[in-house]
Amino acid sequence: MTEGSGLQAMEASCKFERIVMKKLPFHFLKVQLENFGAKRSGAMDADQFKFVVLKALRELHGDIGAAIAVHVIEYQRETNEAILQVPSDGLVKVWSALTMYSKHGEKPCHFKVSKVSPHLASMSADSRKFMTELLKPSLG
């Protein structure tokens, strides 16, 4: 066995394959609904929040937009903030509908989209608040 054939055999047995998923099936949005002039005591629950999101989709994109599967993963009643799961194909429609929504009932309001990511884990960390959250236990 020559030195060259041994090297070729080693190269043949050591194949590395890189797999990259360019298109993930879902995206996650962290959104907050700000009601102007509304009392905080009448805060909505997760089902009502989802209803408002679907209403925004229906107003801008009609029945096709309202058919997009939007799921509320987490909802914070105190701040009207939620993490939504949407199909990647419908991300632009959902985002645009939330951006254009401006009135709930007769009261002005708007959605604030603070984060968008294809990975749910990235929704938990916030680099802008990291140091304050880290130092809270030592300050208190």
Side-chain angles (χ1 to χ4, degrees):
M1 190 185 321
T2 65
E3 203 173 305
S5 65
L7 183 60
Q8 289 174 351
M10 188 179 352
E11 286 178 355
S13 66
C14 296
K15 288 191 175 183
F16 294 98
E17 186 177 340
R18 182 176 172 199
I19 299 173
V20 178
M21 288 186 68
K22 293 189 180 193
K23 186 160 192 227
L24 295 174
F26 296 103
H27 269 77
F28 300 91
L29 290 92
K30 190 170 195 175
V31 299
Q32 181 178 17
L33 177 63
E34 293 186 357
N35 292 331
F36 301 109
K39 297 176 183 170
R40 294 310 284 166
S41 62
M44 57 181 68
D45 62 2
D47 291 333
Q48 292 169 329
F49 190 89
K50 182 176 178 177
F51 175 77
V52 174
V53 170
L54 293 176
K55 183 179 175 188
L57 278 163
R58 187 178 303 277
E59 283 183 10
L60 188 63
H61 299 292
D63 290 337
I64 301 297
I68 296 173
V70 177
H71 300 289
V72 178
I73 302 295
E74 180 184 343
Y75 178 70
Q76 295 178 355
R77 188 178 182 125
E78 302 81 33
T79 59
N80 270 352
E81 193 172 50
I83 295 177
L84 304 176
Q85 178 190 24
V86 300
S88 293
D89 295 340
L91 174 67
V92 174
K93 285 184 180 176
V94 172
W95 199 342
S96 63
L98 295 178
T99 302
M100 298 301 292
Y101 192 71
S102 62
K103 191 179 278 190
H104 181 60
E106 293 298 317
K107 300 194 178 184
C109 68
H110 77 274
F111 279 99
K112 184 166 53 171
V113 179
S114 58
K115 285 186 182 182
V116 178
S117 175
H119 306 287
L120 181 59
S122 67
M123 292 289 137
S124 65
D126 188 358
S127 62
R128 294 183 179 105
K129 297 179 184 175
F130 180 72
M131 287 306 290
T132 57
E133 294 295 322
L134 186 66
L135 295 174
K136 256 185 194 176
S138 64
L139 296 175

